[in-house]
Amino acid sequence: MNPNELLTILPFVVLTGSACILLLVDLFIPRERKGWTAGLAALGMIASIVIALARFGQASQAFSGMVIEDGFSSFLNILALASGLISIALAYDYLKRMGLERGEYYTLMMFSISGVMLMAMAGDLIIVFLALELISIPLYVMAGIARPKSESEEAALKYFLLGAFSTGFLVYGIALVFGATGSTSLAAIAAAAGSGSANLALLSVGAGLLLIGLGFKVAAVPFHMWTPDVYQGAPSAVTAFMSVSAKVGGFAALLRVFTLAFPAIADKMTPVFWVLAALTMILGNLVAVVQNNVKRLLAYSSIAHAGYILMALVTVGQKGLAADAVSAALFYLMADAFTNFGAWAVVITLERAEGRGLEIDDYAGLARKYPGLAAAMVVFMLSFIGVPPTLGFLGKFYLFRTVIQGGYVSLAIIGVLTSLISAYYYLRIVVVMYMQEGEPQVRREPWLMATTALAAAGTLALSLASAPLFNWASQAVLRLF
């Protein structure tokens, strides 16, 4: 490895190295001091994010183009690392309260984040596969970390079995793409398809199988079956982390692979993405309407928001709109991360032992007893719906604008109508908090309170500075095209 290659993957190396060191150090930390591992994990992530910020805008390759550093990877690396820091803040008090304070939790989180970073830098389908496994395997273990609780063990087993099944589709897809083009490099695949030397029929089938494997990771319909059960059964801190990191990793691969490797079959893939986006928005929002458990509601909400991001992939095949589509997707991922973490912070604050405090009715009277917490939840619910002035509104605005510019007005209409449907179940929580009597039990833990306040302030304040943020996302794709 030459020094330039090391610099290309330096944020990834720092994070994985920190995780390995933490794994060893944790052996010498006494059980009653396992909280120290959270601070050590945060230090590793801060070091990595500082390097990623310093290298933002750099363009380089390593390992014969298998790993790519560009604005796209830098943006997603920073988002993944920031999500990891917030996830540590969410988990610190929660794990103590639930008796789940285990040192391996933060190490597993760091390895999963390193998988997201590697996925964002993938320039080869082999790296996509390795990154997907690096994201997923720690998440399987984290979902079952509340052992011996049957719900947590069931969530881990379901996630593992369906994840392994979807990985099979991904690997078979890689094999077919290799057979069609003679390479697994994204650049070589695009060159072979563009020159006419590739078998386009075989390439299209391989791309479809890749979409199935990656569609599972972002919970796109009909590959979403695992989401509600895993979200409900896994510890809430794990679910919060999963709802952001898995989605960022999955969309990093979808955007990179289908933008760079398959422009020659964009006309075949566009109708598929149209149908997937529409089905995901419709099913996610409609099924969420009948949910009474907040964790299952947020699971279907996450499915629906994956559908909105899939709208961007409908237009990436149009050269004049590809950059705008990727920018809109990146901005929405950032907005969704802020909103998701804020909503899950409130959920974790109200959750009690044995799964109590997770029904919508448990939020009755929250506005009277804890007005600040209720107000923050209102901000997150409005952002999910897409009401100004929130980041969620701007995220949907940029996506809908790109889709309309691409000529897919019908898809934009479906997006607007499903957003109106979502208003019912999001505002239902608001109605319960403000208009029903109750005695909610809240643990006012400092890190959870700080995370909730930060997420609410960011969801509102950053929407007022949306132009610089969107320009930042736009700069992130300049090196991609």
Side-chain angles (χ1 to χ4, degrees):
M1 181 189 299
N2 63 50
N4 289 333
E5 287 184 330
L6 179 60
L7 285 174
T8 298
I9 61 170
L10 189 56
F12 171 80
V13 169
V14 168
L15 185 65
T16 51
S18 300
C20 292
I21 293 171
L22 181 59
L23 195 61
L24 295 174
V25 171
D26 181 58
L27 295 173
F28 303 98
I29 297 178
R31 181 177 295 275
E32 64 274 10
R33 294 287 187 268
K34 288 299 181 184
W36 291 359
T37 57
L40 295 173
L43 287 177
M45 291 185 193
I46 291 171
S48 185
I49 201 171
V50 168
I51 297 170
L53 285 168
R55 292 192 60 80
F56 187 84
Q58 298 290 325
S60 61
Q61 296 184 3
F63 309 107
S64 302
M66 296 185 76
V67 177
I68 302 171
E69 181 188 36
D70 55 13
F72 179 83
S73 63
S74 296
F75 182 96
L76 289 175
N77 286 348
I78 292 167
L79 179 59
L81 290 165
S83 299
L85 288 172
I86 297 174
S87 297
I88 290 174
L90 287 178
Y92 183 78
D93 292 319
Y94 174 83
L95 295 179
K96 286 183 177 180
R97 187 201 321 160
M98 296 297 175
L100 302 176
E101 198 173 28
R102 295 166 181 162
E104 64 268 25
Y105 179 91
Y106 299 103
T107 305
L108 290 167
M109 179 188 293
M110 294 173 78
F111 280 125
S112 187
I113 293 170
S114 68
V116 176
M117 297 172 68
L118 187 62
M119 186 73 86
M121 295 186 288
D124 191 286
L125 292 179
I126 301 300
I127 299 297
V128 170
F129 167 68
L130 294 175
L132 185 68
E133 293 303 287
L134 189 53
I135 294 170
S136 302
I137 292 174
L139 286 178
Y140 301 152
V141 180
M142 291 174 72
I145 205 166
R147 63 185 188 278
K149 290 184 178 179
S150 59
E151 298 88 352
S152 180
E153 293 177 340
E154 179 185 349
L157 187 60
K158 286 181 177 179
Y159 195 20
F160 167 70
L161 291 176
L162 290 174
F165 187 63
S166 70
T167 300
F169 282 99
L170 182 80
V171 174
Y172 194 20
I174 293 173
L176 292 181
V177 171
F178 178 78
T181 63
S183 177
T184 55
S185 167
L186 300 185
I189 293 167
S195 66
S197 62
N199 184 327
L200 291 184
L202 193 60
L203 184 65
S204 299
V205 176
L209 292 175
L210 288 174
L211 180 58
I212 292 173
L214 296 174
F216 170 87
K217 188 52 60 181
V218 301
V221 174
F223 318 115
H224 67 288
M225 300 80 66
W226 61 276
T227 313
D229 291 340
V230 174
Y231 272 45
Q232 183 177 10
S236 295
V238 176
T239 308
F241 172 67
M242 185 189 307
S243 69
V244 175
S245 64
K247 190 180 295 182
V248 171
F251 276 109
L254 282 170
L255 292 168
R256 174 81 78 179
V257 171
F258 284 91
T259 300
L260 293 186
F262 301 130
I265 57 172
D267 58 332
K268 296 181 178 65
M269 297 305 300
T270 295
V272 176
F273 284 124
W274 194 103
V275 172
L276 283 180
L279 288 177
T280 305
M281 289 186 291
I282 292 169
L283 185 141
N285 283 301
L286 285 179
V287 181
V289 168
V290 298
Q291 302 303 315
N292 293 315
N293 183 280
V294 177
K295 292 179 74 172
R296 291 188 74 88
L297 185 149
L298 289 177
Y300 284 105
S301 166
S302 183
I303 293 169
H305 289 285
Y308 295 122
I309 304 173
L310 280 170
M311 294 170 66
L313 286 158
V314 176
T315 57
V316 294
Q318 301 181 28
K319 290 185 178 180
L321 288 175
D324 286 342
V326 176
S327 300
L330 292 179
F331 186 90
Y332 199 96
L333 281 170
M334 180 180 61
D336 187 63
F338 262 97
T339 309
N340 248 316
F341 279 130
W344 280 106
V346 177
V347 171
I348 291 171
T349 302
L350 270 74
E351 183 179 357
R352 303 190 300 279
E354 306 301 329
R356 292 175 295 169
L358 293 174
E359 300 296 314
I360 292 179
D361 289 341
D362 293 324
Y363 287 67
L366 187 66
R368 178 182 58 81
K369 197 168 183 181
Y370 303 99
L373 198 62
M377 194 61 163
V378 171
V379 171
F380 305 135
M381 295 299 102
L382 293 179
S383 184
F384 276 139
I385 296 169
V387 176
T390 61
L391 277 176
F393 164 75
L394 292 164
K396 288 184 177 179
F397 170 77
Y398 291 128
L399 282 173
F400 292 167
R401 183 184 66 177
T402 303
V403 170
I404 292 171
Q405 288 174 344
Y408 301 99
V409 178
S410 57
L411 186 61
I413 291 173
I414 292 174
V416 171
L417 292 177
T418 52
S419 295
L420 291 175
I421 293 172
S422 73
Y424 172 80
Y425 61 85
Y426 289 130
L427 293 180
R428 179 185 171 195
I429 296 176
V430 176
V431 168
V432 170
M433 289 191 302
Y434 281 86
M435 299 184 182
Q436 292 187 15
E437 295 294 328
E439 290 295 329
Q441 298 183 27
V442 171
R443 298 288 295 271
R444 298 180 67 87
E445 293 158 330
W447 284 108
L448 276 174
M449 293 294 104
T451 304
T452 305
L454 176 66
T459 301
L460 289 174
L462 292 180
S463 68
L464 303 177
S466 62
L469 287 174
F470 188 75
N471 289 337
W472 187 36
S474 300
Q475 293 171 12
V477 300
L478 290 179
R479 300 286 184 179
L480 185 62
F481 298 99

